[in-house]
Amino acid sequence: MIPKEPTYRDRLQPWHLIRHLPNCQRLTVARFARRRDAESYLNALRRLMPAVSHTIVFVNAVSVLDENSVPIQTQLPIEV
């Protein structure tokens, strides 16, 4: 996958709420500018869908890879 330039929206909403899917896949459910908003949404989802696993992650959209850089993990799981 070729890295792309982060968009303005990527920089504004770094907190992502993801749903874990089978075969190590994930689905971004929502994006937030503030962590507290993501936590509130996660609490509502846990009440509505207790059997589904969700995680809040911070996506660092500031760093862009070039052809000489070594990729590093930019998404860190946040335990709440």
Side-chain angles (χ1 to χ4, degrees):
M1 182 173 160
I2 299 172
K4 63 180 181 80
E5 185 79 23
T7 63
Y8 182 67
R9 180 180 175 202
D10 293 337
R11 292 190 303 265
L12 283 180
Q13 299 175 328
W15 296 98
H16 293 208
L17 183 63
I18 62 169
R19 177 181 300 154
H20 300 280
L21 301 173
N23 298 329
C24 294
Q25 296 177 351
R26 65 180 179 221
L27 172 69
T28 300
V29 176
R31 298 162 59 147
F32 301 93
R34 295 177 206 87
R35 179 179 173 180
R36 184 69 192 137
D37 294 341
E39 290 172 350
S40 299
Y41 197 86
L42 177 62
N43 289 334
L45 282 179
R46 285 185 176 158
R47 285 192 301 271
L48 294 172
M49 298 184 289
V52 180
S53 175
H54 292 89
T55 305
I56 298 173
V57 294
F58 182 82
V59 178
N60 183 3
V62 176
S63 63
V64 178
L65 299 177
D66 61 9
E67 62 276 357
N68 297 325
S69 63
V70 177
I72 58 171
Q73 182 181 4
T74 59
Q75 296 182 352
L76 303 174
I78 307 296
E79 297 297 325
V80 288

